[in-house]
Amino acid sequence: MGVAARVEPSVEQFVAAPLRKMLIDGKWVQAASGKTFETPDPATGKVLARVAEGDKEDVDRAARAARRAFDEGPWPRWTPAERERLLLKIADLIEANGLELAQIETLDNGKSLGESQNVDVPSAAATFRYYAGWVSKITGDTNPTDPAFFNFTLREPVGVCGQIIPWNFPLLMAAWKLAPALACGNTCVLKPAEQTPLTALRLGELLQEAGLPDGVVNIVPGFGETAGAAIVQHPMIDKVAFTGSTDVGKQIHRESAGTLKRVSLELGGKSPNIVFADADVSEAVKGALVGVFFNQGEVCCAGTRLFVEEKMHDEFADAVAKAAGSMKQGPGIDATTQVGPLVSQEQLERVTGYLDIGKKEGAKVLTGGERNTAPGLEGGYFVKPTVFTGVRNDMRIAREEIFGPVVALIPFKDENDAVLQGNDTNYGLAAGVWTRDVSKAHRVARAIRAGTVWVNCYNVFDVTSPFGGYKQSGYGRELGRAALELYTQTKSVWLRI
Ligand code: NDP
């Protein structure tokens, strides 16, 4: 097993185990089929760990366990104070095991250790802590009905939640899904992505250590077409929460009709990051880089269409290319790495395929534009940070989600043109606006059709602020108070007086 050097002994032990099993009804078990799959280290392409491969039968066992835990188990009947205390304990355990979780995440996903340690792990802990605070504040209303009756509403949990997560922020996505679901008293069947199952499995151990009752969270690693599809179709699962590609989101939307599950979808994006000539240019250059190269560009809200006002386009493009070309690329586990490898061979092929498409479409490569096979990186899935200019908004590289370190610069004439081009996309997840003109910032923020707009900043997140898409970027809002809507339903109770 190709474990990189410089990791905690516990991490080496975790990944080197002969098999990482799945968590069903409080027990770590093999797949019913006995099948397993390998998860590689994206920095080397070598096998990192072997994991039990869940399928329909395992999802069925997990769904039944979650159903039992919801219908008969103690969890939904615990007092709010007890549930709150448990969620706080989970947050504490994530922090206490932060370095270990960060190293596992980096080995499995490829992202830089600094990001795993300083962003993903603390944000995951903060998510559990924030929703712990909500447990005791989920309330109903009393309604001013006919005085012959007393009417009130109860906010009740939805039931069993199937949660399907992607590989770009594996631990954080698990936290975004599990924490609000648990706060509202639901039980869960979580499927991590096949590329990155490890931190979810380690989190499962921490949930047990915190004292979560058996069956409340079941974790079934496996493939989307089998385990994922089984979650969507299972009659005992009441709700599906999904983060991933728009194509699979549409498929889940269609297939959930069979059981009329509640569905929330956080899907892809092709977000406009709009730089006006009156912006603080050095800040805007930094924002453009953070917008697209953070997490190797494997970010749903990445600012991949960088709209730059015509009159300063060329100098801005040069500045972005110069900075992008000097970013340090290497294995995520190396503390000096700024841009790690992509998550998988498949993603490497997808992204380099788009580099070819861009060149054929006539875009010009200012920097990057190819796989990085520098000495030491040959076995990994590295793509050089790439800046394209000469891009039109109707080119495929400006319309389709690439999900790699690739930015397309597109010039615009004026505010109206920026908004028209920015909105000319099937997606609507996020946008950025860079200007010193406060009125213009407000006008553009309102005119852009996206779930999040950042002004003079990019990729800023907080657990208190809702996140989700317009248009084909999905529906439903995660984080903040809004996520409680996803995981509760309202019951109206009438009493004759
Ligand atoms: P997917 O949408 O296929 O994967 C996301 C999750 O959905 C994974 O857990 C996957 O399982 C699961 N899944 C796949 N097919 C089904 C299905 N039929 N039913 C239920 N669950 C399913 O994304 P990919 O990993 O294939 O990445 C492809 C592209 O998707 C990327 O290039 C990017 O553009 C976009 N993407 C967007 C993300 C976002 O944050 N919005 C995150 C990841 C990708 P498994 O991985 O095991 O197959």
Side-chain angles (χ1 to χ4, degrees):
M1 300 258 163
V3 181
R6 285 170 291 147
V7 295
E8 299 288 286
S10 59
V11 171
E12 189 151 1
Q13 238 176 358
F14 186 83
V15 297
L19 179 65
R20 296 262 46 116
K21 296 178 178 172
M22 59 183 87
L23 180 61
I24 297 180
D25 208 7
K27 290 169 200 67
W28 292 95
V29 294
Q30 300 202 13
S33 66
K35 281 199 212 163
T36 63
F37 66 100
E38 292 168 346
T39 178
D41 174 349
T44 61
K46 293 188 183 145
V47 175
L48 178 63
R50 181 169 289 283
V51 179
E53 183 189 323
D55 202 335
K56 201 169 174 181
E57 199 175 332
D58 306 289
V59 167
D60 183 57
R61 282 154 56 201
R64 285 174 192 280
R67 189 79 255 166
R68 260 195 317 276
F70 185 77
D71 291 341
E72 303 159 28
W75 178 248
R77 288 153 203 91
W78 277 18
T79 65
E82 287 169 327
R83 284 212 304 273
E84 176 181 343
R85 204 173 303 127
L86 190 125
L87 290 183
L88 289 173
K89 198 157 176 202
I90 296 169
D92 291 345
L93 284 170
I94 290 173
E95 274 174 358
N97 294 276
L99 179 59
E100 186 190 324
L101 283 164
Q103 290 184 342
I104 296 173
E105 193 78 313
T106 286
L107 289 176
D108 205 11
N109 166 278
K111 64 176 69 196
S112 75
L113 186 60
E115 188 198 315
S116 298
Q117 238 183 320
N118 301 322
V119 180
D120 297 33
V121 170
S123 305
T127 306
F128 278 98
R129 203 161 277 138
Y130 171 79
Y131 284 105
W134 270 112
V135 177
S136 57
K137 294 159 198 76
I138 300 169
T139 57
D141 297 315
T142 55
N143 298 310
T145 56
D146 178 338
F149 299 91
F150 176 59
N151 175 253
F152 63 95
T153 57
L154 294 170
R155 293 282 295 279
E156 297 188 328
V158 169
V160 178
C161 301
Q163 304 181 310
I164 301 172
I165 57 172
W167 41 260
N168 52 345
F169 294 91
L171 177 68
L172 190 55
M173 288 302 105
W176 281 23
K177 297 282 184 281
L178 292 175
L182 294 176
C184 297
N186 298 282
T187 60
C188 304
V189 177
L190 176 82
K191 192 198 88 61
E194 71 193 58
Q195 299 85 348
T196 55
L198 297 182
T199 43
L201 296 174
R202 180 71 186 106
L203 179 64
E205 293 179 346
L206 298 180
L207 298 179
Q208 289 188 304
E209 195 179 331
L212 193 69
D214 292 350
V216 174
V217 171
N218 305 274
I219 304 176
V220 184
F223 299 111
E225 307 76 45
T226 50
I231 288 176
V232 177
Q233 288 155 11
H234 203 288
M236 285 185 182
I237 295 181
D238 300 292
K239 179 205 159 47
V240 171
F242 170 78
T243 299
S245 62
T246 293
D247 283 349
V248 173
K250 287 178 182 175
Q251 201 174 326
I252 288 175
H253 180 100
R254 282 193 296 272
E255 282 175 16
S256 60
T259 49
L260 263 194
K261 285 182 179 46
R262 286 171 167 67
V263 177
S264 49
L265 302 172
E266 198 265 271
L267 308 175
K270 198 74 196 173
S271 299
N273 195 5
I274 301 170
V275 185
F276 288 96
D278 64 3
D280 177 332
V281 174
S282 72
E283 285 301 306
V285 169
K286 281 190 229 155
L289 296 171
V290 166
V292 82
F293 298 125
F294 172 63
N295 207 45
Q296 296 74 243
E298 295 171 325
V299 182
C300 48
C301 53
T304 48
R305 290 183 303 144
L306 184 57
F307 290 100
V308 184
E309 195 162 345
E310 239 167 34
K311 55 187 160 193
M312 47 98 79
H313 173 275
D314 293 355
E315 67 200 74
F316 195 83
D318 287 341
V320 171
K322 191 166 167 227
S326 65
M327 290 179 95
K328 168 93 193 298
Q329 192 152 37
I333 208 77
D334 178 341
T336 61
T337 288
Q338 291 174 292
V339 182
L342 296 175
V343 73
S344 63
Q345 175 72 29
E346 191 187 350
Q347 198 60 19
L348 172 70
E349 286 165 15
R350 188 193 307 264
V351 173
T352 49
Y354 274 110
L355 298 180
D356 293 340
I357 289 169
K359 290 172 201 164
K360 282 192 194 120
E361 284 179 311
K364 183 175 162 201
V365 176
L366 278 197
T367 187
E370 58 185 1
R371 182 177 179 177
N372 192 343
T373 52
L377 306 186
E378 312 91 326
Y381 314 132
F382 294 90
V383 169
K384 292 182 183 173
T386 296
V387 177
F388 275 121
T389 54
V391 180
R392 286 190 325 274
N393 202 35
D394 61 354
M395 290 180 177
R396 280 184 68 190
I397 57 163
R399 302 208 76 78
E400 298 172 19
E401 187 170 48
I402 298 176
F403 231 63
V406 182
V407 66
L409 266 80
I410 306 173
F412 67 87
K413 283 194 204 61
D414 54 22
E415 184 179 328
N416 191 40
D417 186 31
V419 169
L420 279 175
Q421 291 202 70
N423 279 337
D424 181 13
T425 169
N426 290 334
Y427 296 111
L429 194 54
V433 184
W434 297 84
T435 176
R436 285 195 174 94
D437 179 337
V438 176
S439 303
K440 192 195 286 177
H442 277 281
R443 284 195 303 272
V444 176
R446 287 182 188 209
I448 290 289
R449 297 196 60 220
T452 296
V453 179
W454 288 292
V455 177
N456 294 332
C457 55
Y458 207 94
N459 271 340
V460 184
F461 281 86
D462 193 283
V463 65
T464 61
S465 176
F467 183 73
Y470 279 29
K471 301 197 273 184
Q472 292 191 27
S473 292
Y475 49 79
R477 292 290 177 272
E478 297 192 291
L479 300 185
R481 184 205 300 253
L484 305 176
E485 299 293 332
L486 304 182
Y487 292 104
T488 56
Q489 52 194 344
T490 302
K491 179 181 280 173
S492 178
V493 183
W494 291 85
L495 278 84
R496 186 189 288 281
I497 293 176

